[in-house]
Amino acid sequence: MVSYLQRLEDLAPLGYGIGLHVRYATPMFYRLTFPQAWQDFYHDNSYQLRDPLVFWALSVTGRTRWSEVTLPDPFGVLKLARDHGLTYGATVSCGKITSRTIVGVARDDREFTDAEMDEVADITHTLHEIGAPADDLTPAMIEALRLVGQGHRHTAAAARIGISESALKARLSSAREKLGAKTTAEALRMAREYRLI
């Protein structure tokens, strides 16, 4: 994932924003590298609820330059972004509405070329695929992760749900495998990010 984020940084001199697998209005992974003054202004004014680019990205999948978005902007979010130096930008949206990935990139010197937009779209689709949450964890695996995540030792967690310690370890091992995690700590972090526990 790091190499793709680095490439976004290279493509977007004024920064990027990514919301990976937005579910129930909350992304599982969220990162902004836009200028801090814009980030602060944007969040202080709750523009994420008023931004026509967010509405566009939640309404359709595809890619667009910011200058091509024709949705109403009653709060002047795009003009305010330009006032903060984010003159040109592009947004890419992919995935089902129940798990949408949105990437925005910005620069101050020129519009993004078609080739650059193709690359941002490819990166967005790749991040969406590799960041897909494991939806096939069983309730037993989730319970084992939840108990260990609450600080219970294996013996205590197993006793709490009435199974042997080896059965608990097997559930944790299966959860790690399904999540693609090397350690239980990594599996716990991923399960929290995916809002499974």
Side-chain angles (χ1 to χ4, degrees), residues 108-127:
D108 63 352
D109 56 344
R110 61 171 174 78
E111 290 279 12
F112 283 89
T113 66
D114 287 342
E116 289 168 331
M117 290 181 63
D118 287 343
E119 189 170 357
V120 172
D122 288 344
I123 291 168
T124 303
H125 287 273
T126 301
L127 290 173

Side-chain angles (χ1 to χ4, degrees), residues 72-152:
D73 187 6
F75 294 94
V77 176
L78 295 176
K79 181 191 178 311
L80 291 165
R82 287 190 298 273
D83 292 346
H84 280 82
L86 287 80
T87 310
Y88 303 100
T91 297
V92 176
S93 174
C94 72
K96 299 181 294 185
I97 189 64
T98 55
S99 190
R100 183 73 43 98
T101 292
I102 303 167
V103 171
V105 291
R107 58 185 315 128
D108 63 352
D109 56 344
R110 61 171 174 78
E111 290 279 12
F112 283 89
T113 66
D114 287 342
E116 289 168 331
M117 290 181 63
D118 287 343
E119 189 170 357
V120 172
D122 288 344
I123 291 168
T124 303
H125 287 273
T126 301
L127 290 173
H128 183 78
E129 288 175 24
I130 65 175
D135 288 331
D136 59 348
L137 290 184
T138 66
M141 290 178 211
I142 292 170
E143 179 71 2
L145 283 170
R146 187 183 62 74
L147 289 170
V148 171
Q150 290 174 344
H152 297 283

Side-chain angles (χ1 to χ4, degrees), residues 4 7 11 14 36 39 50 57 65 71 76 79-80 85-86 121 134-136 147 164-165 182 184 190 192-193:
Y4 295 107
R7 185 60 190 140
L11 286 164
L14 279 183
Q36 192 62 51
Q39 289 184 51
R50 304 168 178 176
R65 290 178 181 88
L71 292 172
K79 181 191 178 311
L80 291 165
L86 287 80
D135 288 331
D136 59 348
L147 289 170
S164 69
E165 187 175 347
K182 294 179 180 164
T184 299
M190 294 172 75
R192 286 182 182 118
E193 287 175 359

Side-chain angles (χ1 to χ4, degrees), residues 138-193:
T138 66
M141 290 178 211
I142 292 170
E143 179 71 2
L145 283 170
R146 187 183 62 74
L147 289 170
V148 171
Q150 290 174 344
H152 297 283
R153 294 185 173 273
H154 289 172
T155 304
R160 196 166 172 121
I161 53 179
I163 61 174
S164 69
E165 187 175 347
S166 62
L168 180 89
K169 288 179 180 179
R171 290 179 183 184
L172 292 171
S173 176
S174 295
R176 285 193 306 271
E177 184 178 322
K178 287 188 180 270
L179 289 167
K182 294 179 180 164
T183 65
T184 299
E186 184 180 6
L188 281 167
R189 179 187 56 77
M190 294 172 75
R192 286 182 182 118
E193 287 175 359

Side-chain angles (χ1 to χ4, degrees), residues 13-67:
L14 279 183
Y16 66 84
I18 179 170
L20 187 62
H21 288 279
V22 178
R23 294 176 170 197
Y24 308 106
T26 304
M28 291 185 330
F29 173 83
Y30 181 68
R31 176 173 291 171
L32 293 177
T33 66
F34 296 125
Q36 192 62 51
W38 171 245
Q39 289 184 51
D40 294 344
F41 185 75
Y42 189 90
H43 289 292
D44 289 349
N45 290 285
S46 298
Y47 283 134
Q48 63 273 20
L49 303 174
R50 304 168 178 176
D51 189 338
L53 297 170
V54 173
F55 293 131
W56 178 89
L58 292 174
S59 302
V60 299
T61 58
R63 65 181 206 178
T64 189
R65 290 178 181 88
W66 295 353
S67 61

